[in-house]
Amino acid sequence: MTVPSQARIPSQARIVIIGGGAVGCSIAYHLAKLGQRDVVVLEKSGLTHGSTWHAAGLVGQLRSKRNLTRLMQYSAQLYSRLEAETGQATEWKPVGSLRLASSEERWSELKRMATTARSFDFELHALSPKEAQAKFPLITLDGVVGAVFVPNDGSVEPSSLTMAYAKGARAGGVRIVEGVLVTGFEFDGRRIKRVLTDQGPIDCEIVVNAAGIWARDVARMAGVEVPAGAVEHQYMITEKSDAIPKGLPTLRDPDNIFYLKPEPGALAVGGWEQGTPTFGSKGVPFSFGRELFQANQDRLEAFLLPAAERLPILNELGIRTVINGPIPISPDGEPIMGLAPERDNFYLACGFTSGIAASGGAGKAMAEWIVEGEPGLDLWAFDVRRFGSHHMSARYLAERSVDSYWRYYQIHYPIEELSSARGGRRSPLYPLLAAKNAVFGSRFGWERPNWFAPAGTEAIDRPSFESRPNWFGPVAAECQAARERAVLIDQSSFSKYEIAGPGAFAALQRLAANDLDRPAGSLVYTQLCNERGGIEADLTFVRLGENRFYMVTGSAFGVRDTGWIAKHLPADGSVTLQDLTSARATINLAGPMSRSILEKVADGDVSNEAFPYMTARSLRIGYAPVLALRVTYLGELGWELHLPTEYAAHVYEQLSAAGREFGLVDAGYRAIDSLRLEKRYLYWGSDITPDYTPYEAGLGFAVSLRKKSDFIGRAALEKAKAAGPKRKLVTLLVDAPVQLYGGEAIRRAGKVLGVTSSAGWGHTISKAVAFGYVTAEEAGHADYEIEAFTQRHAATRIAGAAVDPERKKILA
């Protein structure tokens, strides 16, 4: 292929973006806004020729998390001004969006959405069925319970939007070259130094994979695994009719699995049906371009028939065209963004099922991530580091992506477990616990016991919104056992690592906000902070020797936390990081009777004097070597027992037999969540994130400004401590028997002050417990309100933990 001279690729560029769709061009546009001129976009065919050109173009903004909503809000704000800035029409139509509830459970979901919107200061209106019909006169009201309306949502023409991004990027000095196929990469250690194309190489410093449905294939050429797949998605456009009113909002009826976008005199109707085919599971041919699949009548009927019941006019209109094309998708249906763990300069921006709506905010976040080292706000829900090796198999991706597609319009309960792609990772205790009626959940691929169904009851989750779920009673019994007797919890899914070598102590001391200069056998709870003092990780180190540490973190945080650590380790090889997650099982023995149980089976002194809180000791239980950590996430006397996997069943049997006389029972993760709320134990990703400092979260006790050595974030934390926090995490109790989940509005004196970061029922105190951030000026009141499902409930602030605030139980 002969390339016109004006389209020849440069021999060098600081940043190379692969992919000329909406996301890739948005990243280029925003890089130019940040003053980056040495940027080139490579598109293998033409701009928009992947999934962008056939996207429906709906733009909805409200998400379950504040930062994700902010990202979508920025998109809509950008679309409103982009045409004036660039001179390129985008056909942005801020007509608003209407979402119907055609069932009582859906109405609870929408009421929860309305409350979340209020907590974000986001404009959303709850409507009666008649008010909804006034917004969209073509709908019938059969089965409609209510609706919500967002006045600032709308739609945009995807190809025009992309061309506006491209025009703005070019005006800022970015070079965009079409008709260039990336064929490979050359490396210097963990860095890509050269992009290879069918028209020659390009030396570079940074590569961005925004290749859409080809992202997985491009990543593999870079030695990176990314669970980005593609599925078929259909929608149709009706013939034009004068009976279609002008100015209609976009419409979503998720109970009937369809969405609708007004076209000039016509309607575009699409859906999220069950069992959509995957595309390119063995790789998407690079020759695939501006192409569509044959329409599938059965799949069309799955959403068109219920759509025609809601909008009878569809029975009178012919179908002008059917679009059936591939769209990107990830295992959880959310985008994949950030720096690939395997490379130091290879960024990912792919898996965008709703790429048009997200492209503005995602482009801005990615540009800031690239230039400034972070995206400007916590985007953990989109971060590539939320995935691990088990997500990368073609089977897992196919099963979970098809399920995520179908679930796009299914009811999303606040506490629910997926049934697809399950059973891959099981602890050695799985069969023993399954025989005891364990109801398992999935976390990072692990099957974990969530709760135990009493004999004679169904061992299955039945979640709810406003009423009690079916596990409420059994979890209450597990919590009572933990507080009064003892429980065993299989926590083998914990991510566990050994960090060792001559430089280990110095390297970790520079990372940890707390002081690791403790004797061997000490446990240190600490945060790892960024330069702003924000919390990048929340974990525990065990000092096994002068330069040997054992690290324990959450099941889903291993990739992220070790990535942060590895990024800051010395390059001289003086520190090694070994993953022990699968090699070590973990059994949690906790409760006031736990010492009596442990001393019956352990070779070693487990008295308080010999084995104090926040220490580790090597023990033998039965035949098994055990590293016992005296630590708790429940707020009770207890030990985490870490041991070689092959001994797990043996140790479990020993403890179970020894605990029979003390009323020992099995417990699961639902009990953990209730118990930790009562003890004000925080959870990274909800209560603490890179957006918050330890002082704002009330974790100043885990920051050691007295240690002599410097650590990342020290300067920011010194300033933060001196100035005092501008916002504080408060603990609120609600006497009313209300279901809280996090995401509720915190109110006082008629004002919304914040949003709950996590919440639930405290079974010991028989009250709801909620955490949430408010400004420091508003953090000292005694009384507040929490709004849940549009209803307000009186809440009382407490200064410490609801249970055992003096820590007598854990120190006993």
Side-chain angles (χ1 to χ4, degrees), residues 16 71 101 267 321 409 414 476 664 732 741 759:
V16 176
L71 185 146
L267 302 172
T321 186
Y409 273 2
L664 176 70
L732 303 175
Y741 304 99

Side-chain angles (χ1 to χ4, degrees), residues 416-499:
E416 63 178 349
E417 295 287 346
L418 304 185
S419 58
S420 62
R422 292 287 298 272
R425 304 182 81 181
R426 307 179 206 177
S427 101
L429 302 185
Y430 178 88
L432 295 173
L433 301 180
K436 292 187 171 184
N437 263 13
V439 182
F440 292 94
S442 178
R443 186 68 166 169
F444 212 65
W446 286 93
E447 295 295 315
R448 310 193 313 182
N450 274 341
W451 61 285
F452 289 80
T457 63
E458 57 179 359
I460 188 172
D461 277 353
R462 297 205 178 277
S464 180
F465 283 104
E466 300 180 67
S467 58
R468 303 299 197 195
N470 69 324
W471 60 77
F472 187 85
V475 170
E478 293 173 19
C479 291
Q480 183 180 10
R483 294 283 187 236
E484 298 177 0
R485 305 188 307 277
V487 293
L488 284 180
I489 307 175
D490 180 13
Q491 295 184 308
S492 298
S493 63
F494 274 166
S495 296
K496 303 167 285 279
Y497 301 85
E498 183 172 295
I499 303 170

Side-chain angles (χ1 to χ4, degrees), residues 99-113 143 145 253-258 272 403-419 462-466 741 789:
R99 184 180 293 258
L100 305 179
S102 299
S103 65
E104 289 292 344
E105 283 292 273
R106 182 74 67 180
W107 182 227
S108 289
E109 183 180 50
L110 295 194
K111 286 191 291 183
R112 175 170 163 77
M113 180 186 295
V145 182
D253 188 349
D255 289 300
N256 289 310
I257 67 168
F258 79 89
W272 303 93
D403 186 48
S404 292
Y405 178 93
W406 153 246
R407 285 175 45 76
Y408 203 73
Y409 273 2
Q410 297 307 294
I411 292 175
H412 294 279
Y413 291 96
I415 300 176
E416 63 178 349
E417 295 287 346
L418 304 185
S419 58
R462 297 205 178 277
S464 180
F465 283 104
E466 300 180 67
Y741 304 99
F789 302 103

Side-chain angles (χ1 to χ4, degrees), residues 215-497:
R216 193 177 186 213
D217 307 300
V218 170
R220 280 180 171 165
M221 290 191 291
V224 169
E225 288 291 321
V226 56
V231 294
E232 294 185 18
H233 179 66
Q234 286 193 128
Y235 67 94
M236 69 87 177
I237 302 174
T238 70
E239 294 176 339
K240 294 190 176 185
S241 169
D242 292 336
I244 299 173
K246 294 181 180 179
L248 289 174
T250 62
L251 175 70
R252 295 168 178 84
D253 188 349
D255 289 300
N256 289 310
I257 67 168
F258 79 89
Y259 63 81
L260 182 149
K261 171 190 170 186
E263 298 276 340
L267 302 172
V269 184
W272 303 93
E273 75 283 0
Q274 198 165 18
T276 185
T278 59
F279 175 65
S281 60
K282 296 182 179 179
V284 178
F286 287 119
S287 58
F288 187 89
R290 194 179 169 94
E291 302 174 45
L292 294 173
F293 307 123
Q294 193 72 28
N296 184 304
Q297 191 64 31
D298 291 338
R299 287 175 46 226
L300 275 173
E301 289 180 356
F303 61 84
L304 281 183
L305 293 180
E309 292 182 9
R310 179 63 65 217
L311 290 94
I313 193 174
L314 292 176
N315 295 305
E316 305 167 14
L317 301 175
I319 296 177
R320 185 171 47 173
T321 186
V322 174
I323 305 293
N324 185 18
I327 60 170
I329 198 163
S330 73
D332 59 10
E334 299 288 10
I336 302 172
M337 297 169 61
L339 186 63
E342 300 95 328
R343 295 285 172 200
D344 293 338
N345 63 340
F346 186 73
Y347 287 85
L348 299 164
C350 54
F352 284 85
T353 303
S354 300
I356 305 305
S359 64
K364 181 176 186 291
M366 285 301 305
E368 291 175 355
W369 215 328
I370 292 163
V371 174
E372 300 170 9
E374 53 183 293
L377 69 172
D378 173 48
L379 293 178
W380 172 240
F382 293 171
D383 198 309
V384 61
R385 293 170 293 178
R386 72 188 188 272
F387 295 118
S389 61
H390 65 283
H391 293 105
M392 305 303 173
S393 76
R395 177 177 172 181
Y396 185 99
L397 178 59
E399 290 180 13
R400 187 52 68 84
S401 60
V402 170
D403 186 48
S404 292
Y405 178 93
W406 153 246
R407 285 175 45 76
Y408 203 73
Y409 273 2
Q410 297 307 294
I411 292 175
H412 294 279
Y413 291 96
I415 300 176
E416 63 178 349
E417 295 287 346
L418 304 185
S419 58
S420 62
R422 292 287 298 272
R425 304 182 81 181
R426 307 179 206 177
S427 101
L429 302 185
Y430 178 88
L432 295 173
L433 301 180
K436 292 187 171 184
N437 263 13
V439 182
F440 292 94
S442 178
R443 186 68 166 169
F444 212 65
W446 286 93
E447 295 295 315
R448 310 193 313 182
N450 274 341
W451 61 285
F452 289 80
T457 63
E458 57 179 359
I460 188 172
D461 277 353
R462 297 205 178 277
S464 180
F465 283 104
E466 300 180 67
S467 58
R468 303 299 197 195
N470 69 324
W471 60 77
F472 187 85
V475 170
E478 293 173 19
C479 291
Q480 183 180 10
R483 294 283 187 236
E484 298 177 0
R485 305 188 307 277
V487 293
L488 284 180
I489 307 175
D490 180 13
Q491 295 184 308
S492 298
S493 63
F494 274 166
S495 296
K496 303 167 285 279
Y497 301 85

